[in-house]
Amino acid sequence: MEDDVTDRRSFLRGALAAGVGGVAGASVAAGASAASGGGDDHRDAPPPLRGFHGAHQAGVEEAPLPRTTVVAFDVIAGNRRELTDLMRTITDRARALTAGGVPDGAGITGPPADSGVLGPSVPGGNLLVTVGVGASLFDHRFGLAARRPARLTAMPTFPNDALDPAWCHGDLSLQLSARDPDTVLHALRDIARHTRGAAQIRWRIDGFTSPPRPSGTPRNLLGFRDGTANPAPAELGRLVWTDDGGTFLVVRLIRMLVEFWDRIGIGEQERIIGRARDTGAPLDGDRESDRPDFAADPVGKIIPLTSHIRLANPRTPATAGSRILRRGFNYDRGVDAVGDLDMGLVFTCYQRDIPSQFEAVQHRLKDEPLVDYVRPFGGGYFFVLPGVRDAGDHLGRALLS
């Protein structure tokens, strides 16, 4: 056992050193590559994402990118110092991966410093990294019980859930998002490599967003637009961000019983959701952006009282504070053991307070008609840490200091 601890500590010290060096001269190399025409030559490439540093972590306010992976880790670090080393390493790797550049060269006999998935130069400005902590991190192991963020708990089982423990909770959450799947996989391999011996993957699921078809908000795999009524940017300070620059993340892994759903009429589908499938408009409107007028339809003649949009957001003064910033990603895991399609939604949402926002919405949705066509099977609650402000800062610094 003592040898195992020594090996783990040696690995952590090596990983931390690699994290500091990481991508050799990341910003300098990236600039040199661009100046010399090296790297990927995408003439019509979209503009780069925001930089790594800031009061908030990236990946919350930004519109969802086409590819993502959501990962939960169990921390196996032996003590608080090793946990701090782990958080420094994750920070250094995220900083290097988002900046881009030419990886360090391999030694004569040592393994290469980079997987090579993205070629000899890692493109910068194409990746979002978002890290959170779960309630289980605040147990007896690291002396952090008194520092657990207020209202952070383990995700409970709600009515209509079919949760699989293997797909729930975690000490840490990591979300990697990019425009291309190889960028996501490259970052995951890099972070997993540098944190081996301190954290191990508990569960992971890949997701994607569809392009708008034909316009407006992207669609989920039920065919309906997903995320239409999110709060405006000016409301995020009140509804999403905590005073220290963090936010609470809810992840829900929801299988959609698409073969069953595909057998019911379009009219019934639209009444279950409360919107027209083609346009995304509420059933009493013409455009996706139209606000449903529930007060003018008190008995639900046009938009049923049990419709998803009416229960989730009744649009009353009493429920205005329970709105959430919703981010949905589709997933497809092939088929299950009996040949049914295994696909659905990686639902994520952000808020200042889970009980008064997500849980309030979830309780209103109890036994809605949609539950016959979806099966939540996993996920968890996490606190997305405040952002990394500069090169001397690291994720979780205030928590661990």
Side-chain angles (χ1 to χ4, degrees), residues 120-351:
S121 179
V122 176
N126 297 297
L127 177 71
L128 294 172
V129 181
T130 313
V131 178
V133 294
S136 56
L137 189 69
F138 299 87
D139 58 14
H140 64 280
R141 290 171 293 167
F142 308 112
L144 296 174
R147 300 192 178 190
R148 179 173 59 85
R151 315 302 289 275
L152 177 63
T153 64
M155 184 182 72
T157 300
F158 293 96
N160 313 121
D161 282 358
L163 299 184
D164 179 348
W167 283 92
C168 294
H169 316 305
D171 293 331
L172 297 178
S173 69
L174 171 69
Q175 184 168 357
L176 304 168
S177 298
R179 298 182 180 96
D180 301 305
D182 57 352
T183 303
V184 172
L185 294 176
H186 172 268
L188 177 60
R189 285 176 63 175
D190 183 280
I191 292 173
R193 171 182 180 175
H194 284 89
T195 58
R196 188 173 179 84
Q200 62 186 25
I201 293 177
R202 181 181 178 89
W203 54 263
R204 168 201 165 198
I205 193 163
D206 296 332
F208 64 93
T209 59
S210 302
R213 301 186 187 278
S215 61
T217 306
R219 298 177 186 273
N220 61 33
L221 296 181
L222 296 182
F224 284 78
R225 301 185 186 189
D226 199 321
T228 297
N230 268 331
E235 298 177 288
L236 300 187
R238 177 170 56 87
L239 293 172
V240 172
W241 297 113
T242 58
D243 294 341
D244 59 358
T247 183
F248 288 94
L249 164 66
V250 173
V251 181
R252 296 276 285 174
L253 310 181
I254 304 173
R255 182 173 178 178
M256 294 175 168
L257 309 181
V258 293
E259 290 142 320
F260 188 21
W261 177 258
D262 290 344
R263 292 198 296 268
I264 65 174
I266 182 64
E268 179 64 13
Q269 291 183 358
E270 292 179 338
R271 287 189 292 273
I272 289 172
I273 302 298
R275 293 185 178 274
R277 192 177 72 172
D278 287 353
T279 65
L283 296 181
D284 63 351
D286 300 310
R287 298 176 298 276
E288 180 184 0
S289 59
D290 288 347
R291 179 185 175 91
D293 189 354
F294 297 142
D297 181 26
V299 297
K301 184 176 180 180
I302 300 173
I303 302 179
L305 300 180
T306 58
S307 66
H308 184 77
I309 69 166
R310 193 158 190 161
L311 292 173
N313 184 4
R315 289 172 170 79
T316 67
T319 61
S322 65
R323 288 180 299 152
I324 55 178
L325 178 62
R326 177 191 178 108
R327 301 298 192 202
F329 300 88
N330 300 319
Y331 81 80
D332 176 11
R333 300 192 300 173
V335 296
D336 64 15
V338 297
D340 290 333
L341 295 171
D342 185 353
M343 58 180 60
L345 182 70
V346 182
F347 169 94
T348 67
C349 71
Y350 301 91
Q351 57 263 291

Side-chain angles (χ1 to χ4, degrees), residues 21-80:
V23 176
S27 58
V28 175
S33 175
S36 64
D40 293 343
D41 184 17
H42 296 308
R43 297 186 180 182
D44 58 350
L49 303 172
R50 56 153 278 192
F52 177 71
H53 296 133
H56 309 304
Q57 286 194 62
V60 177
E61 293 191 12
E62 291 83 354
L65 293 175
R67 299 287 179 169
T68 198
T69 190
V70 179
V71 189
F73 289 85
D74 290 327
V75 172
I76 56 175
N79 53 48
R80 189 155 159 179

Side-chain angles (χ1 to χ4, degrees), residues 53 88 91-92 95 388-395 397:
H53 296 133
R88 287 182 180 275
T91 303
D92 291 331
R95 184 187 287 116
V388 178
R389 294 181 177 271
D390 53 44
D393 195 10
H394 67 83
L395 290 164
R397 178 185 55 80

